[in-house]
Amino acid sequence: MFRTVITLLWGAGLAFGLAIVPTFQAHAQDSDAVTVQKLRNAALDDRFGYRFVETLTTTIGQRLAGTDAEARASMLAEKTLLDAGFVNVHRESFPITAWIRGRGEAEVTAPSSQRLVVAALGGSVATPPEGIETEIMVFPHYSQLLAAAPGSLDGKIAVVTEPMPRAMDGANYGAAIRIRRGGPSEAAKRGAIAYLHRSLGTDERRLAHVGATNYAEGVKRIPAAALSVPDAQQLARLAALGKVRIRLVLTPTSDEHAQAWTVSGELRGGERPDEIVLIGAHLDSWDLGTGAIDDGAGVAIVLGAGNLIAQLKVRPKRTLRVVLFGAEEMDYSGPAYAKMHADDIPRIVLASEADFGARRVYTFLAPASAANTHFLQTLADALNPLGIFPTRQPAISGGDDIAPLHAAGVPVFSLRQNGLDYFDIHHTADDTFDKIDPQELAQATAAWVTTVYLSLQTDLDFRKPAAGSKN
Amino acid sequence: MFRTVITLLWGAGLAFGLAIVPTFQAHAQDSDAVTVQKLRNAALDDRFGYRFVETLTTTIGQRLAGTDAEARASMLAEKTLLDAGFVNVHRESFPITAWIRGRGEAEVTAPSSQRLVVAALGGSVATPPEGIETEIMVFPHYSQLLAAAPGSLDGKIAVVTEPMPRAMDGANYGAAIRIRRGGPSEAAKRGAIAYLHRSLGTDERRLAHVGATNYAEGVKRIPAAALSVPDAQQLARLAALGKVRIRLVLTPTSDEHAQAWTVSGELRGGERPDEIVLIGAHLDSWDLGTGAIDDGAGVAIVLGAGNLIAQLKVRPKRTLRVVLFGAEEMDYSGPAYAKMHADDIPRIVLASEADFGARRVYTFLAPASAANTHFLQTLADALNPLGIFPTRQPAISGGDDIAPLHAAGVPVFSLRQNGLDYFDIHHTADDTFDKIDPQELAQATAAWVTTVYLSLQTDLDFRKPAAGSKN
């Protein structure tokens, strides 16, 4: 059955011009400096990744982990890696609990009838089929919910309306995420029967931002959903005038015996094949949009970079491994990969995941071991023409799917993309192909191919503490 | 029943600070130039209209013509006019066919399953309850639909994906509106069983822009809906790859025996009370948002301007009439008003409707009769400090509800607001209170109060051709 689908998809890919043609010439005698310049410039003109994400989002659309769509995406990626010349290409499945949204509806029932835009959080339990209809209690700050006494929310819906400020590096998301991940159980501890929060978004659109939540052990699991930003503001205004009642209907379902797929492929190193530079992105997406910026763009970047390196006449010294994770959004694929590839971990010398949209890269963070090295100076010089300058702190995160590898000792790097508008779109229905600017995506791909190529060529052992480093 | 509701609403209004307090001092002996300067400056600091639209959109929300919500809005407006000191305040009903949305769902069923964001056009008939599932035919330009042969769309859904460009004065809406108003019948003439078009929007959001459609006499009425811009783009990409099938479900209903309400009030002129300057806006809205920019903002502007003039110690020479129309979106209130007030029309010396959002005014257009007059120079000088400069053509439109009056001989003026982002939000769920910048709204109100006051004071007969005018 899948074979037919894939044939169709690949036909689509060809129609969009995904066919692989050499876009630049590199010669065997080129120095690293010459090769990296050619790669960088080729990436700026290349549309390989952009065409891939167009095909992915157009012919498959949303790719919620554990669904047929996610499986089809993994097959499309597998074929793309094979056709680009990767070896050791394979899809590997791992068990997950798939979560399917169902209906998500809410309305103010008093003082007057008004429709609200909501979307269930990933992992949320359902309301009764007829919904919950009760009074709300609004908390302008999450800390006020935490300060509420046990029992003070008995029978009510807790509503947290705290906003998340805009930031170039998205740092406020890290600070705000407990509102989504921890809120339902904190509200339940205090007696709430459901939980709503203002979307972790920087926009003013009537679209809810979803994302995974986590129920605490031993606490009653209550239905939880995100409100669009304007709807959260509306509830805050209404609650300031008196009692407000809401009806909430969420009908998600779960399948504890689903599976997701991670796809990987390698370009074997010409000199030190057992030293692996791993670059990744995730193929799964949320279900409301088509996962273009999260994380179709990341897939496009690593496939685009990988494809350019695959076209080199001389294989780089180290092995490049591209890994396309299958269940990042619900936190499954990173741990599953680290567990299934525990034996590999000592051979992975550097890793990073592209998972922050489709905009241009503006800075990079290297592992602490690279401080004050010739490698880092060479990399900085090579990224400079792209308008990218180093941040003088070591990289402490390589992305969610890389975290378990990092915890097991794998050094990471980070190429930070401009995220000023990332959280306008992130995890909403608005995450669609039209949001990707091909030139910005090409710049990001150029940054990745530059960083990856120099990392494949260097003799530097990223696991060793830097000699003479002040870090 | 309504009395209780209104008490509640008014309580809400007070809570938001809608209480009327004098915000400036004007003296009996002031010249027009001094008074208009005081009015203009007072308007810039005033938040009367802003608070009104906050109350309107928060406590009532959407106000689809013919619904209880629209009736409640008319009562809130009536009370606001009375409390501001207006006389001859009354609500008048008129018959309309109310149209209620129901469900609007669409999905691609082949080549792969994908949800589409659609919303039925106002006035659309319903699909069968189970929906329509058939192949689509995509037309990148509306002219291509018009060029299609009869029978060429038999059994298909016609999809027009023509975009509407952004423009400061919104001029492209006028050119594109036939896609929405005329498309369903043009498609039906050629055999189509349903019609979809790319929203008349300048945004890239997954929100459909609705609006009224018009079925041609003698042509089969087919269900019609707007696609969000990204969904229209997605269908265009998919259709380029092969056959696409869609399932469409629309369940609107109509009530041919509904009524809507228009509210008006006057400040009687001190010298020539039988000469009326009429300013209007519309209280009804589409149902997906809360009608903040369309047209809560317009209501805020004319109520804000009217309230400032009501506070003057000396009544202006002519009569000011504020009219808040009750069914603009479905084209009922303008014709109904002109019909019910046919006897008044000779006494209306000038009219205009504020119905283009909440942004600042950048230019004004006066009636042809004002060309080369002292009045127009005085007005230009008074608007200049607001950054508003005249357009050297006569006003040819005073707004949709004013058009029937204009056709019957009433001169009109136009204060053009910056509409660069108006069609990002227009007729979508995103039309909510948070989109209004109070300072821009205050500037627009200042422009209106300036224009209205000088029009109330001038001796100029706007109905007479200008002496020595080159127009």
Side-chain angles (χ1 to χ4, degrees), chain B residues 36-377:
Chain B
V36 83
Q37 183 181 333
K38 288 183 177 180
L39 284 166
R40 188 184 65 215
N41 292 341
L44 292 174
D45 288 334
D46 191 33
R47 294 296 179 265
F48 182 85
Y50 184 68
R51 293 303 164 201
F52 179 86
V53 66
E54 180 176 28
T55 300
L56 181 73
T57 56
T58 301
T59 66
I60 297 176
Q62 70 82 21
R63 304 171 301 283
L64 198 66
T67 63
D68 278 0
E70 189 250 320
R72 292 201 304 275
S74 72
M75 288 185 282
L76 177 64
E78 181 184 40
K79 178 145 177 53
T80 303
L81 285 168
L82 283 169
D83 288 353
F86 279 72
V87 297
N88 195 17
V89 174
H90 60 280
R91 300 162 61 231
E92 54 192 33
S93 69
F94 51 97
I96 68 164
T97 296
W99 177 88
I100 305 297
R101 177 171 306 284
R103 285 189 302 138
E105 296 165 10
E107 59 180 333
V108 176
T109 55
S112 66
S113 174
Q114 294 189 37
R115 190 180 71 98
L116 295 169
V117 174
V118 298
L121 299 186
S124 172
V125 296
T127 62
E130 72 279 11
I132 289 168
E133 202 275 340
T134 186
E135 196 179 320
I136 64 171
M137 184 166 290
V138 171
F139 297 94
H141 298 283
Y142 185 65
S143 60
Q144 293 169 322
L145 169 63
L146 299 183
S152 62
L153 287 169
D154 280 356
K156 293 183 179 170
I157 297 176
V159 181
V160 173
T161 60
E162 180 168 325
M164 184 180 83
R166 194 179 290 278
M168 191 153 180
D169 64 357
N172 297 314
Y173 184 64
I177 201 165
R178 64 182 187 150
I179 297 172
R180 189 185 82 215
R181 292 200 176 260
S185 290
E186 294 296 341
K189 284 179 198 170
R190 292 159 177 83
I193 59 171
Y195 177 76
L196 296 173
H197 74 91
R198 174 172 157 146
S199 285
L200 304 186
T202 49
D203 59 297
E204 292 183 331
R205 297 175 194 164
R206 296 290 297 288
L207 296 170
H209 295 242
V210 299
T213 192
N214 306 95
Y215 291 116
E217 287 296 322
V219 178
K220 184 174 163 58
R221 297 177 171 219
I222 62 173
L227 289 154
S228 89
V229 169
D231 289 271
Q233 294 175 315
Q234 180 81 330
L235 286 185
R237 281 190 299 269
L238 275 172
L241 299 176
K243 288 192 179 182
V244 178
R245 294 180 70 86
I246 282 182
R247 192 176 72 92
L248 176 69
V249 183
L250 303 176
T251 66
T253 55
S254 289
D255 174 2
E256 293 179 10
H257 304 290
Q259 60 181 4
W261 297 87
T262 282
V263 186
S264 65
E266 293 183 336
L267 299 175
R268 299 291 292 170
E271 292 189 12
R272 299 194 299 281
D274 284 346
E275 295 178 15
I276 300 166
V277 173
L278 186 157
I279 59 173
H282 66 88
L283 274 169
D284 68 301
S285 75
W286 283 108
D287 53 336
L288 298 174
T290 62
I293 70 157
D294 187 13
D295 182 30
V299 175
I301 288 167
V302 299
L303 283 181
N307 179 55
L308 288 169
I309 292 173
Q311 292 177 53
L312 293 174
K313 293 226 169 28
V314 178
R315 283 280 180 257
K317 295 175 182 172
R318 285 167 164 162
T319 291
L320 173 64
R321 182 182 292 177
V322 171
V323 183
L324 304 174
F325 296 93
E328 188 271 346
E329 296 296 1
M330 289 291 281
D331 310 324
Y332 292 108
S333 47
Y337 189 85
K339 187 176 168 192
M340 293 166 76
H341 296 268
D343 293 346
D344 266 359
I345 291 177
R347 295 190 293 134
I348 304 174
V349 302
L350 188 65
S352 192
E353 182 174 25
D355 185 20
F356 201 61
R359 296 242 177 257
R360 59 182 297 125
V361 172
Y362 67 96
T363 193
F364 69 95
L365 291 83
S369 54
N372 303 321
T373 61
H374 176 69
F375 163 79
L376 192 57
Q377 190 56 53

Side-chain angles (χ1 to χ4, degrees), chain A residues 159-214:
Chain A
V159 181
V160 174
T161 61
E162 181 169 326
M164 184 180 84
R166 195 179 290 277
M168 191 153 180
D169 64 357
N172 297 314
Y173 183 64
I177 201 165
R178 63 182 190 152
I179 297 171
R180 190 184 80 214
R181 291 200 178 261
S185 291
E186 294 297 342
K189 284 179 196 169
R190 291 158 179 84
I193 59 172
Y195 178 77
L196 296 172
H197 74 92
R198 174 172 157 147
S199 284
L200 303 186
T202 48
D203 59 297
E204 293 184 328
R205 295 175 196 165
R206 298 288 297 287
L207 295 170
H209 297 242
V210 298
T213 192
N214 306 93

